[in-house]
Amino acid sequence: MTLTAYIEGIGLLGPGLSDWPGSQAILTGQQPYLSHKTILPSPALLPAAERRRSGAIVKLTLATGLEAINAAGLDAASLPSVFSASGGDGENCHAICEMLASSDRQISPTRFHNSVHNTASGYWSIATGAMTASSVLCAFDASFGAGLLEAISQVVVDNTRTIMLACDTPYPEPLYSARPIPDAFGIALVLAPERSTRALAKITVSLTDASADQLDDAALESLRVSIPAARGLPLLRAIALQQDGRVVLDYLDSTHLAVDITLC
Amino acid sequence: MNPLWLSHFTATSSIGRGLEQTLSALRQRRTGLAPCTFDTVDLATYTGEVAGVDAVQLPARLADFDCRNNRLAQLGLMQDGFAGAVHAAIAKYGAQRIGVFLGTSTSGILQTELAYRRRDPDTGALPADFIYGTTHNTFSVADFTRHYFGLTGPAVVVSSACSSSAKVFSSARRMIEAGLIDAAVVGGVDTLCLTTLYGFNSLGLIAEQACRPYDAQRNGLSIGEAAAFALLERVPQHPRDNLNPDAVLLLGIGESSDAYHMSSPHPDGLGARMAMQDALKMAGLQPSEIDYINLHGTATQSNDAAEGKAVAAIFGHGTPCSSTKGATGHTLGAAGGLEAVICALALQHGLLPAGINTRQLDPSIDLDYLLDNRDQAVARVLSNSFGFGGTNCSLIFGRKDRL
């Protein structure tokens, strides 16, 4: 069983990767990959009160999601969305657990509503005005694959465009030692059911037991394995290379995703 | 949509382990809410705690998954022959053709809350026995469930606060429809923890007494915990596979976002209205064809007011409805799944369950809110689940012989 969709826009942000146009030459090896801490832009689209309350995951999803949607020339309010993250707002989670272990357990209302896994989806809908359906997922290290499968089945079955956002942010210590995600990283893809003039590539996804592709560059490969959202990098690399072909993306332990790519 | 068959289902909450106890509690209008004695919580509130969760032992091979949420998950899976039904589905379809789609809001966060009390005084490190991935992480309950059964198909947790385990039906529907899988274990599991008790308290949304949905004097919610599961399959087409007359089918799903506020619903229930309308549209039904609405009905001022407006806008004042959270408490990420099972019981047993604890209905909300159980034939029901972040999901279920 295969599922086909067209990629119409890409957003990318991570350590040493500032956006999709600026990252293509790095992914193809034409420019060296120089890692530096991810710079998260302030979410200008949010009302001031929400902007103050927004954590890294909100900034990251807004930056990558809007990059993909703007590249596709679409209106964010019109698109259903799929948010897949291996964890929530790590700083916020740490602050809550610290307070709950102290003698004063009165956590703040903002801390509490930012603790839900769909915080990014909630802020996204407020920022963009999207009243559309939003699927909010977690599959631990398999979160990129889970997001891609959810999004592409939505495109195929519901015959709709959708935006998929796979984003992860780090925990501070002491949780960092238990879940060492080194930095913020996100990929956003606008997917469409039909080929349009905006289409960058056609992708056909199926389940496979073949091993996941690795990246040749050691530093990029280290990024791929250390951040769940970065498990999608082989797909972006193939598109950057402008070559048709197949990549295998990491997903669940014994089940991976084969993605056949045809450039448009 | 092509209807899907809930070939097996089960629920465990503070009103009972499994369907028989759940149905009997609903018939007897019995609440599972009691003064909170959970852990070291010092709040004056009621909770719907499931008895005996601490005594559940996971299989040794799954010891890394040990936490309250996965213990409750296993307790739930063991009721009503549900685990046997999953094994039969594996024999029929293959382990790779069955997906796992579970909703949870807090997962095993309690494990981390407890670990933070045992940090190394010098380094601040968490204790060495703390395992993040298989307990705290949001995926843990779906990962536990797939390992419990040896399933290798797609697996995911949907975590959109209190709509989580309603929205799992949508993810499962798409993957079955796309042909990626033939069956899906769907449902939700959420357990008591300090984050939600102190968190809702900080918002002033916790009732001191057992919650009173749609009451004029309602003053907040009571938190509960639950595990609810259903096995979703395509409706068999071959005559020899004839479904029982009382088979429960999923007929429609509607989803929307409020795009309004992180912790307050849209005051007119605009997003809620869109979700209900989309569910009716997908099911190809008119509002008058719905016999009962299981309301989200958390008993907060804002939810019940907004939801009441949205329901009245679509259904008018004549459709019987109630919130069963007076019985179970608000089970958060498990609420959609639990209330889907309650809807299935309503269809199969001809019972419209009353909303309990409610003494005097809010006169500003003009609905046919049930204060007493009603026994009648039921053909189609709608269940609402809404949550923080403005997430909304409505599900419509029907009984095969009455469609």
Side-chain angles (χ1 to χ4, degrees), chain B residues 48 63-64 142 156 244 299 301 378 382:
Chain B
D64 284 356
V156 75
N244 285 338
Q301 276 296 335
V378 187
L382 179 143

Side-chain angles (χ1 to χ4, degrees), chain A residues 75-243:
Chain A
D75 174 13
S78 70
L79 296 178
S81 54
V82 175
F83 286 78
S84 194
S86 75
D89 182 333
E91 294 281 349
N92 191 65
C93 177
H94 165 70
I96 288 176
C97 289
E98 213 168 35
M99 282 206 79
L100 291 174
S102 76
S103 54
D104 176 14
R105 293 174 168 178
Q106 303 312 314
I107 58 180
S108 81
T110 299
R111 283 246 177 266
F112 180 52
H113 75 57
N114 280 352
S115 75
V116 294
H117 193 69
N118 59 320
T119 297
S121 161
Y123 281 95
W124 171 267
S125 69
I126 293 168
T128 64
M131 297 190 73
T132 45
S134 182
S135 298
V136 184
L137 311 178
C138 177
F140 195 55
D141 282 348
S143 294
F144 184 89
L148 184 59
L149 265 191
E150 171 93 5
I152 202 164
S153 60
Q154 200 173 76
V155 168
V156 169
V157 173
D158 296 341
N159 192 33
T160 177
R161 282 192 172 92
T162 193
I163 178 159
M164 168 218 165
L165 304 100
C167 291
D168 287 306
T169 52
Y171 283 107
E173 287 290 5
L175 274 165
Y176 176 82
S177 291
R179 179 57 166 165
I181 289 178
D183 204 344
F185 181 96
I187 291 175
L189 300 173
V190 173
L191 300 177
E194 308 284 345
R195 181 177 179 148
S196 74
T197 52
R198 305 181 180 103
L200 304 172
K202 176 173 122 174
I203 57 167
T204 298
V205 175
S206 55
L207 300 173
T208 180
D209 52 13
S211 317
D213 290 359
Q214 301 186 356
L215 296 166
D216 295 335
D217 182 281
L220 284 172
E221 173 62 10
S222 152
L223 191 62
R224 187 188 73 86
V225 297
S226 61
I227 308 180
R231 309 286 161 95
L233 276 176
L235 169 63
L236 296 201
R237 179 176 174 273
I239 295 170
L241 281 168
Q242 291 286 306
Q243 286 168 4

Side-chain angles (χ1 to χ4, degrees), chain B residues 291-369:
Chain B
D291 298 324
Y292 166 72
I293 301 168
N294 188 288
L295 298 162
H296 187 53
T298 58
T300 64
Q301 276 296 335
S302 58
N303 174 80
D304 295 4
E307 184 184 24
K309 277 185 199 168
V311 169
I314 297 171
F315 294 91
H317 317 297
T319 306
C321 56
S322 66
S323 162
T324 43
K325 289 186 172 72
T328 63
H330 187 358
T331 61
L332 309 179
L338 174 62
E339 288 157 26
V341 170
I342 289 174
C343 283
L345 289 173
L347 287 163
Q348 290 194 324
H349 299 275
L351 170 71
L352 304 186
I356 60 173
N357 306 341
T358 301
R359 295 167 216 162
Q360 189 186 355
L361 285 169
D362 185 337
S364 70
I365 307 173
D366 189 9
L367 296 177
D368 182 15
Y369 190 93

Side-chain angles (χ1 to χ4, degrees), chain B residues 195 286 321:
Chain B
T195 300
Q286 297 300 314
C321 56

Side-chain angles (χ1 to χ4, degrees), chain B residues 32-310:
Chain B
L33 299 176
C36 177
T37 55
F38 180 71
D39 188 62
T40 55
V41 174
D42 56 2
L43 300 172
T45 185
Y46 277 54
T47 48
E49 185 172 343
V50 176
V53 178
D54 286 338
V56 175
Q57 286 199 328
L58 305 193
R61 67 187 172 92
L62 301 177
D64 284 356
F65 287 94
D66 193 25
C67 64
R68 185 174 183 84
N69 209 50
N70 291 330
R71 288 182 186 195
L72 180 54
Q74 179 170 300
L75 185 63
L77 289 169
M78 285 161 52
Q79 310 304 318
D80 298 308
F82 190 82
V86 175
H87 287 300
I90 293 170
K92 184 174 174 188
Y93 299 118
Q96 78 286 0
R97 296 289 300 173
I98 301 172
V100 177
F101 306 85
L102 296 179
T104 188
S105 180
T106 60
S107 188
I109 183 77
L110 175 65
Q111 210 66 8
T112 305
E113 294 170 359
L114 298 174
Y116 264 68
R117 295 181 194 165
R118 296 191 292 133
R119 291 174 69 177
D120 186 294
D122 298 326
T123 66
L126 294 170
D129 58 11
F130 171 70
I131 312 172
Y132 167 87
T134 44
T135 65
H136 170 151
N137 187 265
T138 301
F139 183 51
S140 147
V141 70
D143 204 19
F144 166 72
T145 302
R146 63 191 283 274
H147 281 95
Y148 187 79
F149 291 116
L151 295 171
T152 57
V156 75
V157 154
V158 174
S159 188
S160 50
C162 307
S163 71
S164 302
S165 57
K167 285 171 75 77
V168 293
F169 285 89
S170 197
S171 300
R173 173 192 74 90
R174 285 188 285 260
M175 286 206 198
I176 291 174
E177 190 77 26
L180 268 177
I181 52 172
D182 296 313
V185 176
V186 299
V189 186
D190 233 329
T191 30
L192 296 177
C193 62
L194 275 64
T195 300
T196 48
L197 283 159
Y198 286 94
F200 279 112
N201 184 61
S202 77
L203 286 163
L205 294 180
I206 292 260
E208 281 196 21
Q209 303 290 317
C211 70
R212 297 156 64 183
Y214 282 80
D215 194 297
Q217 304 297 318
R218 67 183 179 278
N219 56 1
L221 48 80
S222 304
I223 296 177
E225 57 186 357
F229 297 96
L231 185 60
L232 275 186
E233 303 180 52
R234 293 186 189 90
V235 177
Q237 297 302 323
H238 198 282
R240 81 165 172 249
D241 295 324
N242 245 345
L243 295 186
N244 285 338
D246 68 351
V248 175
L249 305 181
L250 172 66
L251 303 177
I253 306 169
E255 301 171 80
S256 73
S257 305
D258 277 356
Y260 176 73
H261 191 269
M262 278 306 291
S263 56
S264 306
H266 188 285
D268 295 321
L270 188 52
R273 210 182 327 171
M274 288 166 64
M276 287 185 272
Q277 276 163 339
D278 285 356
L280 287 166
K281 191 173 156 200
M282 190 185 276
L285 294 171
Q286 297 300 314
S288 59
E289 294 177 281
I290 299 295
D291 298 324
Y292 166 72
I293 301 168
N294 188 288
L295 298 162
H296 187 53
T298 58
T300 64
Q301 276 296 335
S302 58
N303 174 80
D304 295 4
E307 184 184 24
K309 277 185 199 168

Side-chain angles (χ1 to χ4, degrees), chain A residues 206-214 224 246-259:
Chain A
S206 55
L207 300 173
T208 180
D209 52 13
S211 317
D213 290 359
Q214 301 186 356
R224 187 188 73 86
R246 165 175 280 211
V247 294
V248 177
L249 302 181
D250 195 30
Y251 178 42
L252 297 163
D253 35 23
S254 56
T255 309
H256 299 144
L257 298 183
V259 185

